[in-house]
Amino acid sequence: EMLARVDVLCLDKTGTITKGKPWVNEMNWFVPEESNIKSILYTMEKSSEHPLADAIVDFIKNGSEFLKDLTIHNVTGQGVVGVYDSKKYFIGNEALLHQNGMNLSDDEKQWLVDQVSLARTVVFFFDESRVFAGISISDQLKDSSKNAIALLHNLDISCVILTGDNEQVAKVVAKEVGINRVYGNVLPAEKSAFIEKLQQDGKVVAMVGDGVNDSAALAQADVSIAMGKGSDIAMEVATMTI
């Protein structure tokens, strides 16, 4: 009954509009590659629940060792922090980099610009003093996304993309599927705040997502829809699961 009244449909990008089967295009080491450093990256991603982690694990699993005495914790919407041998290591987006007092060199910035211009998602692997590597990742659109969004527009339902991914990457995806309103670099709390603002303006809002990062927005929406191949928490929070 509530779905019939929906004015605005907010969509996550990865795993919702895209297939959620990312692969690594390029791993660029800015420092000489060391086996121990590679094993730290491998262990952190192997222990992570982020949808991009599996792609990185598959890319570097040969020649990498799983380190049992490494601990990690997730930084919501930004990446992962690991501790190994009393040292901190980070894997995440540019926001995580800046938050930890790190700045990219000119070469690193240029590599980032080049990758983002190709609509690739970029994550960095670094410690508290230097950037080890940049990793660029792609994900394909679902075959059904463009048609589904056209059908929604025909029903006078406004579609919005809310994603934690880079805004330029999000805009390329939005253009491909025919969505005009797109917001990138959005933290989970900002997704739910955006939906709450729409509701305060009198809109009936549905949210579609598949990740842990979507759970707050799913809980806030009038109708919440989770992807069946997504995270358990998204399916638990959502009104319905596809």
Side-chain angles (χ1 to χ4, degrees), residues 184-202:
N185 302 311
V186 182
L187 294 171
E190 292 170 336
K191 287 187 181 185
S192 56
F194 182 88
I195 291 169
E196 188 176 6
K197 175 72 171 65
L198 288 170
Q199 291 167 328
Q200 286 168 355
D201 292 340

Side-chain angles (χ1 to χ4, degrees), residues 2-207:
M2 188 65 80
L3 264 176
R5 295 167 46 207
V6 166
D7 305 303
V8 184
L9 187 75
C10 295
L11 295 141
D12 175 46
K13 180 179 72 69
T14 306
T16 301
I17 296 173
T18 66
K19 290 182 177 179
K21 294 178 182 173
W23 71 93
V24 172
N25 297 103
E26 189 178 313
M27 184 173 291
N28 191 14
W29 289 89
F30 301 114
V31 298
E33 190 179 331
E34 305 161 24
S35 59
N36 189 43
I37 289 294
K38 195 174 173 186
S39 291
I40 289 168
L41 173 62
Y42 173 77
T43 305
M44 286 175 69
E45 291 293 51
K46 187 78 174 167
S47 308
S48 169
E49 292 180 359
H50 196 279
L52 301 181
D54 288 344
I56 296 170
V57 167
D58 286 344
F59 193 79
I60 62 168
K61 61 187 176 187
N62 292 335
S64 298
E65 179 191 352
F66 187 83
L67 307 168
K68 290 180 182 174
D69 44 354
L70 186 150
T71 58
I72 72 156
H73 73 267
N74 292 301
V75 182
T76 308
Q78 294 186 348
V80 179
V81 182
V83 178
Y84 179 69
D85 205 12
S86 302
K87 272 191 74 178
K88 273 187 179 180
Y89 296 88
F90 307 85
I91 304 163
N93 58 20
E94 204 178 353
L96 185 69
L97 198 82
H98 295 319
Q99 192 175 301
N100 288 280
M102 296 285 289
N103 290 305
L104 295 173
S105 68
D106 290 343
D107 286 348
E108 291 157 1
K109 279 181 188 170
Q110 188 56 55
W111 180 82
L112 172 63
V113 168
D114 292 345
Q115 298 305 311
V116 169
S117 69
L118 297 168
R120 295 172 178 175
T121 299
V122 170
V123 294
F124 291 99
F125 174 43
F126 57 101
D127 65 9
E128 292 176 292
S129 62
R130 58 183 176 160
V131 178
F132 297 114
I135 305 154
S136 72
I137 297 164
S138 291
D139 192 6
Q140 284 182 306
L141 281 181
K142 288 180 181 172
D143 299 334
S144 56
S145 290
K146 191 173 180 179
N147 187 46
I149 286 156
L151 290 168
L152 287 159
H153 284 153
N154 288 339
L155 294 167
D156 289 328
I157 295 171
S158 173
C159 294
V160 183
I161 293 177
L162 298 176
T163 178
D165 203 350
N166 180 287
E167 187 145 8
Q168 195 172 333
V169 174
K171 282 178 177 175
V172 172
V173 170
K175 191 175 180 183
E176 285 186 53
V177 296
I179 291 177
N180 295 324
R181 293 176 74 188
V182 53
Y183 301 90
N185 302 311
V186 182
L187 294 171
E190 292 170 336
K191 287 187 181 185
S192 56
F194 182 88
I195 291 169
E196 188 176 6
K197 175 72 171 65
L198 288 170
Q199 291 167 328
Q200 286 168 355
D201 292 340
K203 303 293 186 187
V204 178
V205 186
M207 172 71 195

